């Protein structure tokens, strides 16, 4: 299930997303003493992270964990860990606790047990999960027809190893680690950030069909839990 929010421009979308995240983190800290935010890479959330990083929050009480990761070292240009370190974990937000996915293992499959152990130490439910969507209908690293997708969609664990089918969207980085649909959907709030007419068309296509293997974002959009879709041209 989704709630669709349309904004006049991307600046308005960013402001609304930052406000929603700050409210969620503040409420969690007030109620439970800590907050957990699940974060994605990509161009859509980058301005959100830069604005959020400057907010006056008790960042030492916030955990920041990745939604997914390419199986590259943190200093690689394609690393989501490096991306989050550069754009979110700066200024006041540098005090947040970061939980990454990449291990020293050669493959995501070999590193899955260690990654799962890291995420098992996190709360049962995150407070907010920030998602994006590709033009192929993937979200997180839930890629169409990927090796490991069945387990990522239906498994009871928090993390799953994925080998995507190479495409223009994946580039050379087909080896991935991702959160499972179950853990994404367990978050108290989910924000799916989209920009541009192409992404709106992909969203409408995803909502119109039911084949989750073809467009795995459907597992999130069509679940009983509500996901807030923020879109701007």
């Amino acid at each position: 299930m989704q709630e669709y929010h349309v904004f006049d421009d991307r600046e308005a979308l960013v402001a609304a997303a930052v406000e929603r995240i700050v409210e969620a983190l503040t409420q969690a800290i007030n109620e439970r003493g800590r907050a957990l935010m699940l974060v994605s890479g990509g161009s859509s959330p980058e301005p959100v992270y830069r604005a959020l990083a400057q907010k006056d929050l008790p960042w030492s009480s916030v955990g920041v964990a990745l939604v997914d990761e390419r199986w590259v070292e943190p200093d690689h240009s394609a690393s989501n860990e490096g991306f989050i370190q550069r754009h979110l974990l700066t200024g006041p937000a540098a005090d947040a606790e970061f939980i990454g996915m990449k291990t020293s293992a050669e493959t995501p499959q070999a590193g899955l047990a260690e990654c799962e152990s890291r995420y098992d130490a996190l709360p049962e439910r995150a407070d907010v999960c920030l998602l994006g969507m590709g033009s192929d209908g993937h979200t997180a690293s839930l890629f169409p027809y990927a090796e490991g997708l069945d387990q990522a969609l239906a498994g009871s664990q928090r993390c799953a190893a994925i080998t995507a089918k190479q495409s223009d969207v994946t580039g050379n980085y087909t080896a991935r680690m991702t959160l499972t649909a179950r853990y994404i959907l367990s978050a108290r709030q989910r924000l799916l950030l989209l920009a541009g007419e192409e992404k709106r068309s992909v969203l409408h296509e995803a909502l119109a069909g039911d084949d989750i293997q073809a467009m795995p974002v459907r597992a999130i959009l069509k679940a009983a839990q509500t996901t807030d879709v923020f879109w701007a041209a």
Side-chain angles (χ1 to χ4, degrees), residues 134-139 141-147 149 153 162-167 169-170 211-217:
S135 59
D136 59 353
H138 85 272
T139 191
S141 276
L142 306 174
F143 281 92
Y145 307 112
E147 179 184 332
L149 180 61
L153 291 174
I162 289 285
T163 303
K165 294 183 179 297
Q166 189 166 0
S167 68
V169 177
T170 65
D211 186 347
I212 293 176
Q213 288 282 334
M215 298 186 79
V217 71

Side-chain angles (χ1 to χ4, degrees), residues 40 50 52 60-61 77-78 111 114 147 150 157 198 222 225 227:
S40 300
R50 285 192 274 104
L52 188 61
S60 60
S61 297
S77 61
E114 181 179 343
E147 179 184 332
D150 286 340
Q157 291 186 293
E198 180 187 27
K222 292 176 174 285
Q225 300 89 331
T227 295

Side-chain angles (χ1 to χ4, degrees), residues 74-97:
D75 60 357
H76 192 287
S77 61
S79 167
N80 281 342
E81 178 173 337
F83 175 85
I84 295 299
Q85 294 284 0
R86 291 191 301 274
H87 299 295
L88 175 58
L89 301 179
T90 64
D95 289 336
E97 177 190 7

Side-chain angles (χ1 to χ4, degrees), residues 36-51:
L36 174 61
M37 176 168 58
L38 305 176
V39 294
S40 300
S43 58
S44 294
E46 180 180 332
V48 173
Y49 296 146
R50 285 192 274 104

Side-chain angles (χ1 to χ4, degrees), residues 40-125:
S40 300
S43 58
S44 294
E46 180 180 332
V48 173
Y49 296 146
R50 285 192 274 104
L52 188 61
Q54 302 307 314
K55 291 296 181 180
D56 185 18
L57 288 168
W59 283 104
S60 60
S61 297
V62 177
V64 174
L66 290 178
V67 165
D68 68 324
E69 181 63 282
R70 300 174 183 89
W71 210 246
V72 296
E73 293 303 318
D75 60 357
H76 192 287
S77 61
S79 167
N80 281 342
E81 178 173 337
F83 175 85
I84 295 299
Q85 294 284 0
R86 291 191 301 274
H87 299 295
L88 175 58
L89 301 179
T90 64
D95 289 336
E97 177 190 7
F98 177 74
I99 301 91
M101 288 181 151
K102 179 67 171 67
T103 74
S104 60
E106 286 293 319
T107 66
Q109 290 77 9
L112 179 57
E114 181 179 343
C115 189
E116 183 70 13
S117 177
R118 294 178 188 178
Y119 277 73
D120 272 346
L122 300 178
E124 185 174 336
R125 302 180 67 190

